[in-house]
Amino acid sequence: MTHIEITLLLLLFATVMFVWERIPLALTAIIVCLTLVVTGVLDPKTAFNGFINTNVILFVGMFVVGAALFETGMANRIGGLVTRFAKTERQLIVAIMMIVGLLSGLLSNTGTAAILIPVVIGIAAKSGFSRSRLLMPLVFAAAMGGNLSLIGAPGNLIAQSALQNVGLEFGFFEYAKVGLPLLIGGIIYFAFFGYRLLPAGNSAAVSGFDQEHDFSAVPKWKQIMSLLVMIATILGMVFEKMIGIPLHITACIGAAFLVLVGVLTEKQAYHSIDTQTIFIFGGTLALASALDQTGAGAMIATFIMDLLGTEPSPAVLLMVIFFISCALTNFMSNTATTALLVPIGMSIAANLGADPRAVLMAIVIGGSCAYATPIGMPANLMVLSAGGYKFADYLRCGLPLIFVAGAIAIPLLLLFFPFFPA
């Protein structure tokens, strides 16, 4: 077998296993990485280079910085603010989505959802509203909020790594050009239409989140310090070029400081690192390298281009890329979807002579639209039993939201990220 054939077979294997999840996603990524080495498609140094990528270091640092807000209860306190301003069910939905969306832009979107699920369940119990009316908007807002910054979701950094290989990059808040209107559009959707599609449900649905964590014993200085370090870390990243310190170093400084002053213990810091994300990221970067080096990615890109004609309209191509990403992300991890499509997107951009930033932004934004199934992202699964949801509930509420997202995102992508900038 040729190296191209081996790479395409591994791409097919990764796609099937990411959808099927018969074995853990991280293990699938490692199997792909190891097979590329054993078959000689990649040398070991190239195959495992993804595990020492600066964005992996950024992941690790931000996992720890974000965990400080969760472990001290500061994220819980921020989430609890909704009870002060929201009295009706619709107001509560809007407030929850605003807070979750904004927090997800600066923290892990999955982590934000995880910490605020028990908060919202507690709010539902106190207010008398059904938790099934509140939890689905929460996890959808977490997905949309992940598009507000470079660190909001793993897929954002996967695209960033691919761009850095060709001397380009996204700015820290560049995703927000599309992500913020998307979040606002999602909130408006639920405020005026989507809330009618939410299931009435049962407030006593079986859940592992019924007990809120008690943070009363946490010293107040730890809560304040966790927030100050998060703010300082974000500011350091925003002004990266002015201060001359790379993003991943800033994240590690913040993480090390939190452990040094005792806001987190060493064990809490280690525990906060999501190793699954690290292994998926590192393993799929090896596949991306193989698609690039063997020419398999260019072959797939050429096939897609042939289907669209010799000179496809940028708008049509953008829509095709966006909705392919939307479709895949609802049946596999949104991180895995982005990891699979990014190298193909880079090849499409190269074939067209287009700006790769335009193609990758469409993939990342489309990959975040995991609204129509409970398996599209971890947060969706977290509320499945907590909200007493069925598969059809996600489809009924999420499918219209995907089309709303497309209607908002595609014109903005064409405006801010044209395929052929002047």
Side-chain angles (χ1 to χ4, degrees):
M1 293 177 68
T2 66
H3 286 179
I4 287 182
E5 290 171 338
I6 293 170
T7 302
L8 291 175
L9 280 175
L10 287 172
L11 176 63
L12 177 62
F13 168 78
T15 303
V16 171
M17 297 311 295
F18 280 155
V19 173
W20 193 22
E21 289 198 59
R22 187 69 176 181
I23 59 176
L25 300 180
L27 183 56
T28 296
I30 292 300
I31 289 171
V32 169
C33 182
L34 291 172
T35 305
L36 288 169
V37 175
V38 171
T39 56
V41 175
L42 295 177
D43 63 85
K45 184 177 179 180
T46 302
F48 288 95
N49 190 54
F51 292 96
I52 57 170
N53 186 282
T54 56
N55 288 313
V56 169
I57 300 170
L58 176 57
F59 274 142
V60 170
M62 289 312 297
F63 280 140
V64 176
V65 173
L69 261 73
F70 299 143
E71 293 289 344
T72 62
M74 180 53 76
N76 192 291
R77 288 184 63 184
I78 295 170
L81 291 174
V82 295
T83 55
R84 296 185 183 182
F85 306 105
K87 302 303 177 186
T88 68
E89 184 182 69
R90 274 206 286 179
Q91 288 175 355
L92 204 50
I93 290 171
V94 169
I96 287 169
M97 293 188 73
M98 286 177 61
I99 290 175
V100 172
L102 292 174
L103 282 176
S104 295
L106 301 175
L107 309 172
S108 154
N109 50 8
T110 301
T112 300
I115 197 65
L116 293 183
I117 285 169
V119 176
V120 170
I121 288 175
I123 291 170
K126 292 171 188 174
S127 64
F129 297 122
S130 172
R131 65 176 67 169
S132 65
R133 307 279 295 173
L134 305 177
L135 291 177
M136 194 172 286
L138 181 155
V139 294
F140 290 172
M144 290 182 278
N147 292 322
L148 295 184
S149 76
L150 190 62
I151 59 173
N156 301 7
L157 286 168
I158 291 173
Q160 181 81 334
S161 291
L163 283 178
Q164 288 170 343
N165 289 336
V166 294
L168 299 171
E169 63 180 8
F170 288 124
F172 188 79
F173 284 118
E174 200 154 7
Y175 286 101
K177 291 179 181 178
V178 181
L180 184 58
L182 207 59
L183 176 60
I184 293 170
I187 292 172
I188 292 171
Y189 163 80
F190 270 105
F192 293 99
F193 175 71
Y195 78 97
R196 298 176 184 174
L197 302 176
L198 291 166
N202 177 3
S203 292
V206 177
S207 169
F209 295 97
D210 286 324
Q211 297 297 321
E212 290 189 51
H213 295 289
D214 181 11
F215 296 105
S216 59
V218 178
K220 194 169 183 179
W221 73 266
K222 287 190 176 184
Q223 295 184 335
I224 295 170
M225 185 63 71
S226 68
L227 183 60
L228 290 176
V229 171
M230 170 59 74
I231 293 170
T233 303
I234 298 300
L235 288 175
M237 291 177 174
V238 172
F239 297 105
E240 175 193 14
K241 289 181 171 59
M242 291 179 62
I243 64 175
I245 301 176
L247 298 181
H248 61 287
I249 300 299
T250 299
C252 289
I253 290 171
F257 180 80
L258 287 165
V259 176
L260 187 65
V261 300
V263 174
L264 290 176
T265 66
E266 184 183 6
K267 286 186 178 180
Q268 285 175 320
Y270 289 145
H271 185 70
S272 70
I273 298 168
D274 185 350
T275 51
Q276 182 192 50
T277 297
I278 302 299
F279 279 109
I280 292 174
F281 188 90
T284 51
L285 280 184
L287 181 58
S289 296
L291 285 166
D292 178 44
Q293 292 188 18
T294 64
M299 182 185 295
I300 296 170
T302 302
F303 176 74
I304 294 173
M305 298 301 299
D306 289 343
L307 291 178
L308 295 174
T310 53
E311 294 184 3
S313 160
V316 172
L317 182 58
L318 181 72
M319 289 176 67
V320 169
I321 291 170
F322 180 84
F323 283 110
I324 286 175
S325 189
C326 284
L328 286 178
T329 197
N330 280 283
F331 295 97
M332 65 171 76
S333 155
N334 47 5
T335 304
T337 296
T338 307
L340 287 174
L341 292 181
V342 159
I344 296 171
M346 291 294 289
S347 296
I348 289 174
N351 282 9
L352 277 175
D355 183 353
R357 297 164 79 254
V359 180
L360 296 198
M361 183 63 75
I363 289 171
V364 170
I365 298 296
S368 71
C369 296
Y371 315 134
T373 70
I375 60 175
M377 64 176 187
N380 288 10
L381 277 174
M382 286 179 196
V383 299
L384 182 63
S385 60
Y389 296 126
K390 298 177 181 177
F391 192 98
D393 294 327
Y394 290 87
L395 190 63
R396 183 170 61 251
C397 293
L399 191 59
L401 184 56
I402 289 174
F403 288 106
V404 169
I408 295 170
I410 289 172
L412 291 173
L413 288 166
L414 291 169
L415 175 65
F416 293 120
F417 302 96
F419 275 48
F420 304 103

